[in-house]
């Protein structure tokens, strides 16, 4: 991917990708990229910030501090246990961040995913399927969606059935 501070990366200019493999990165600097993002009203979202190595986090946090000071909206997505890493990377950001904790979904909320989604596909999921998926999803809607996708793949369900069908758990799945 593209790096604001890295030595190499992929730049996209008007749909054309230019790959840089030299030791010297010659594309826009981090501040230039952040100014571009700000000037077009784009919000920068960095997912899985906690996976970035600490030296790179430090460099990014310094650039993000300046970009945010100039009005760039920057969202860092991280797991709750590591949400303070940006502060560790740059203590000057203390008091400048807003942490938003997203709670786990309730079982009732999770049940709506297969109930509503499979209804659109003309499938009535047996209660065992819904309950198994609710337990296995561990409060995560993303896991529930992945489970629903896998059951659709198992049943070769690529589009809505013309007539209603009932779906049961695959053999051995409810163990």
């Amino acid at each position: 991917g593209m790096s604001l501070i890295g030595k190499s990366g992929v730049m996209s200019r008007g749909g054309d990708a230019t790959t840089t493999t030299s030791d010297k990165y010659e594309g826009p600097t981090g501040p230039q990229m952040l100014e571009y993002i700000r000037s077009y009203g784009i919000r920068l979202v960095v997912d899985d910030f906690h996976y970035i190595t600490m030296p790179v986090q430090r460099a990014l946090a310094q650039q993000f501090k300046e970009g945010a000071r100039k009005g760039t909206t920057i969202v860092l997505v991280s797991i709750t246990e590591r949400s303070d890493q940006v502060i560790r990377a740059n203590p000057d950001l203390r008091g400048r961040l807003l942490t938003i904790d997203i709670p786990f979904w309730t079982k009732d909320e999770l049940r709506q995913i297969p109930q509503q989604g499979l209804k659109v596909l003309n499938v009535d999921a047996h209660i065992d399927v819904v309950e198994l998926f609710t337990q296995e999803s561990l409060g995560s809607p993303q896991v529930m969606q992945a489970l629903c996708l896998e059951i659709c793949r198992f049943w070769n369900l690529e589009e809505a059935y013309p007539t209603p069908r009932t779906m049961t758990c695959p053999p051995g799945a409810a163990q």
Side-chain angles (χ1 to χ4, degrees), residues 117-175:
L118 293 172
K119 183 177 181 181
V120 170
L121 296 171
N122 218 3
V123 173
D124 179 33
H126 191 275
I127 191 67
D128 290 349
V129 173
V130 175
E131 288 308 309
L132 175 65
F133 284 9
T134 300
Q135 286 299 117
E136 294 295 318
S137 65
L138 303 171
S140 168
Q142 293 84 2
V143 173
M144 176 62 88
Q145 290 170 339
L147 292 168
C148 290
L149 177 60
E150 288 305 311
I151 196 83
C152 288
R153 287 180 176 155
F154 178 83
W155 291 108
N156 295 316
L157 181 57
E158 295 179 3
E159 58 186 53
Y161 285 120
T163 57
R165 301 227 178 142
T166 299
M167 181 182 291
T168 59
C169 283
Q175 296 177 358

Side-chain angles (χ1 to χ4, degrees), residues 9 11 14 28-29 39 47 49-51 67 76 90-91 95 106 132 138 146 161:
M11 284 296 291
T29 65
S39 69
D47 195 6
F49 186 77
H50 56 279
Y51 285 127
L76 303 177
N90 186 343
T106 66
L132 175 65
L138 303 171
Y161 285 120

